[in-house]
Amino acid sequence: MSPPRPTVEVIGHRLDPAHYRVRDFLTRIAQPYDWYEAGSDEADRMLSGHGIAAGSLPVVIDGDDVITGATAADLARAWNVETEPTRTHYDIAIVGAGPAGLAAAVYAASDGLSTLLIEREVPGGQAAYTSLIENFFGFPDGIGGAELARRAGRQAERFGADLVLLRGVVGHDVAPDGRFRLDLGGELSVTATIVIATPGMEWRRLEVPGLEELLDRGVYYNAGRSEAAQCGGDGVVVVGAGNSAGQAVLNLAQAGARVRMVVRGDDLSKSMSAYLVDRIEANPLIEVQLGSQVVDVHADAGHLSGVTIADGRDDAERHDAQAMFVCIGADPRTGWAARAGVEADARGYILTGPDLLEAGRRPAAWRLERDPLTLETSVPGFFAAGDVRSGSTKRVAGAVGEGAMAVALAHRRLAELERLPTPSGGG
Ligand SMILES: Cc1cc2nc3c(=O)[nH]c(=O)nc-3n(C[C@H](O)[C@H](O)[C@H](O)COP(=O)(O)OP(=O)(O)OC[C@H]3O[C@@H](n4cnc5c(N)ncnc54)[C@H](O)[C@@H]3O)c2cc1C
């Protein structure tokens, strides 16, 4: 990943979903930019200065380069982001570039292993949705999640790791010689001796009629950081009561929005860190509605205009809202791994190490004369780290620690494979 570009300007419509996605992409790769609302005098002047027709929005101006009708993929191409692996085989393939995957890539590459880090979106995972991580050690003034990820990505590349972005792993199988073949979609695949799965979590959806149609049109999953920055003076709603909801509420209030926080439970402190609860209670722009749920959404010209909130006691009440941010937690993203036989617990988190043993017995399909290593899954040589792992701490530092530890354990598996006789017919 290159350092951020010095000047990036974007002209677009704030409420257009495609234009929002470009803003969101820039925010999540920690690329600073200036936003110009289409139709404003300044935006018109810039468009005519570059001889650009108004129909080519969104427009991204990067120094002398102008990208019209820009999408995240266009920007990735223009900025030389790798979207395909450079080799056909790696010692280690890491799936997912959140904090766990990034840390694994830094340590694997710095240990001299050929390393692929593959990410379906952009680096940072959930952390890229938070503007300030205040409890990651070594950063007393906090650090933006996207900034942290960008630094880690550059560090991994400097040690020689291949970072492939905007491309997900959709399946895998194991060859007779124990190598993994990862299916990257579009007839592209790669093999690896070791896999470290760090696919993290996906947002839990809010079941309210009509909500999906308003996605990116006033309704945003998680903090919607780039939109939150534009909400000054607006009335907005945040649904949820965890730390991510707390951070979103405070960000929005800091941007000058009037925030209604809709909480199903009866006490914020049951699910949120004390430092966030204190700040929320002290902020006059924030109103917390406990014991409440959003039961309906309302639209005007295809964009969110209000929500109805019920508390189970009085009549449900409609409130105007220009935006709603849904931060109701997340579930483990284990789809492809689970389909390929990696064992998970009842909630879908990947089981590793001692958690795979039942009354001291190894998993039925386990063929080795040893127990699974601490972060090894039910498939030898296939490790899991970070939030997706059963029993993980759901913290950036925990994910980073597990990513580093998975690499240390991978060395043990690599040494074991070197001692094994090569099976005949192996590729
Ligand atoms: C808004 C918010 C604020 C937070 N604030 C804090 C905080 O202040 N302090 C703290 O310690 N923790 C915080 N957390 C929690 C922290 O961000 C997570 O614990 C951490 O990001 C977990 O890292 P991870 O690498 O395990 O997974 P994730 O961060 O979820 O990353 C997983 C990555 O894998 C990718 N991926 C998934 N499937 C595939 C696939 N098939 N192929 C390729 N890529 C794939 C995803 O796109 C994603 O980028 C916060 C979380 C949120 C949502």
Side-chain angles (χ1 to χ4, degrees), residues 95-100 118-120 122 124-127 130 133 135 167-169 198-201 203 222 244 247 333 336 386-387 394-396 399:
V95 185
I118 187 137
E119 166 58 53
R120 68 213 282 265
V122 295
Q126 297 164 72
T130 174
I133 299 171
N135 54 5
R167 186 177 287 280
V169 170
T198 54
M201 312 284 283
W203 315 133
N222 225 285
S244 58
Q247 288 181 2
R333 194 188 271 135
W336 62 273
D387 279 15
K394 315 289 180 284
R395 288 278 189 273
V396 175

Side-chain angles (χ1 to χ4, degrees), residues 142-356:
I143 179 163
E147 286 73 19
L148 183 68
R150 190 167 191 130
R151 287 180 191 205
R154 288 180 60 200
Q155 197 174 12
E157 281 185 324
R158 218 165 42 186
F159 283 121
D162 276 359
L163 249 71
V164 169
L165 306 183
L166 301 173
R167 186 177 287 280
V169 170
V170 293
H172 83 263
D173 47 51
V174 191
D177 65 354
R179 284 182 178 198
F180 297 94
R181 193 191 62 83
L182 296 179
D183 182 355
L184 309 182
E187 302 198 347
L188 197 64
S189 68
V190 72
T191 59
T193 313
I194 300 285
V195 170
I196 302 179
T198 54
M201 312 284 283
E202 59 194 328
W203 315 133
R204 215 167 275 152
R205 310 308 262 190
L206 184 65
E207 301 293 334
V208 171
L211 185 134
E212 288 297 310
E213 289 88 84
L214 292 174
L215 209 54
D216 298 344
R217 299 171 184 274
V219 174
Y220 307 93
Y221 274 97
N222 225 285
R225 269 181 66 196
S226 63
E227 180 58 23
Q230 313 267 333
C231 285
D234 289 353
V236 303
V237 168
V238 173
V239 187
N243 282 346
S244 58
Q247 288 181 2
V249 163
L250 289 164
N251 270 344
L252 285 155
Q254 200 178 12
R258 286 167 283 107
V259 193
R260 185 177 295 280
M261 185 174 197
V262 182
V263 177
R264 211 163 43 170
D266 59 0
D267 183 357
L268 261 192
S269 61
K270 283 184 184 163
S271 50
M272 194 181 288
S273 296
Y275 76 96
L276 294 172
V277 177
D278 292 346
R279 289 182 205 171
I280 287 170
E281 284 174 355
N283 195 313
L285 285 173
I286 302 170
E287 183 179 335
V288 181
Q289 268 190 258
L290 296 172
S292 302
Q293 295 186 52
V294 170
V295 291
D296 205 357
V297 288
H298 311 281
D300 186 11
H303 194 266
L304 182 81
S305 60
V307 301
T308 298
I309 299 172
D311 64 9
R313 296 179 297 273
D314 306 312
D315 288 341
E317 205 176 329
R318 183 189 157 137
H319 301 270
D320 289 343
Q322 279 79 51
M324 175 165 80
F325 300 89
V326 183
C327 312
I328 54 173
D331 293 313
R333 194 188 271 135
T334 44
W336 62 273
R339 279 196 303 279
V342 173
E343 283 188 24
D345 68 16
R347 293 166 63 212
Y349 290 94
I350 296 182
L351 288 165
T352 53
D355 292 343
L356 284 161

Side-chain angles (χ1 to χ4, degrees), residues 89-138:
H89 179 79
Y90 291 85
D91 294 325
I92 294 200
I94 301 155
V95 185
L102 286 162
V106 168
Y107 286 103
S110 67
D111 285 351
L113 299 171
S114 59
T115 304
L116 171 67
L117 175 58
I118 187 137
E119 166 58 53
R120 68 213 282 265
E121 296 181 2
V122 295
Q126 297 164 72
Y129 285 85
T130 174
S131 56
L132 199 64
I133 299 171
E134 292 189 66
N135 54 5
F136 187 57
F137 93 107

Side-chain angles (χ1 to χ4, degrees), residues 4-152:
R5 312 184 79 81
T7 52
V8 170
E9 294 162 312
V10 189
I11 304 162
H13 291 289
R14 175 185 160 196
L15 299 182
D16 185 306
H19 303 193
Y20 163 73
R21 284 193 282 276
V22 168
R23 247 174 36 218
D24 185 55
F25 173 77
L26 293 171
T27 306
R28 287 202 287 133
I29 61 166
Q31 170 60 59
Y33 61 91
D34 290 317
W35 173 262
Y36 296 91
E37 184 62 27
S40 66
D41 290 347
E42 231 174 344
D44 287 346
R45 255 197 313 278
M46 289 173 74
L47 289 176
S48 64
H50 284 87
I52 305 164
S56 339
L57 299 175
V59 171
V60 175
I61 303 170
D62 169 23
D64 292 335
D65 297 329
V66 176
I67 303 167
T68 55
T71 62
D74 294 337
L75 295 176
R77 255 191 309 277
W79 294 342
N80 300 321
V81 169
E82 294 294 344
T83 54
E84 291 191 10
T86 57
R87 311 163 64 124
T88 53
H89 179 79
Y90 291 85
D91 294 325
I92 294 200
I94 301 155
V95 185
L102 286 162
V106 168
Y107 286 103
S110 67
D111 285 351
L113 299 171
S114 59
T115 304
L116 171 67
L117 175 58
I118 187 137
E119 166 58 53
R120 68 213 282 265
E121 296 181 2
V122 295
Q126 297 164 72
Y129 285 85
T130 174
S131 56
L132 199 64
I133 299 171
E134 292 189 66
N135 54 5
F136 187 57
F137 93 107
F139 293 91
D141 302 319
I143 179 163
E147 286 73 19
L148 183 68
R150 190 167 191 130
R151 287 180 191 205

Side-chain angles (χ1 to χ4, degrees), residues 352-377:
T352 53
D355 292 343
L356 284 161
L357 306 180
E358 266 185 58
R361 277 201 316 277
R362 296 169 186 151
W366 187 261
R367 297 278 171 261
L368 303 183
E369 290 302 315
R370 62 160 174 84
D371 289 349
L373 300 171
T374 315
L375 298 182
E376 200 170 24
T377 69

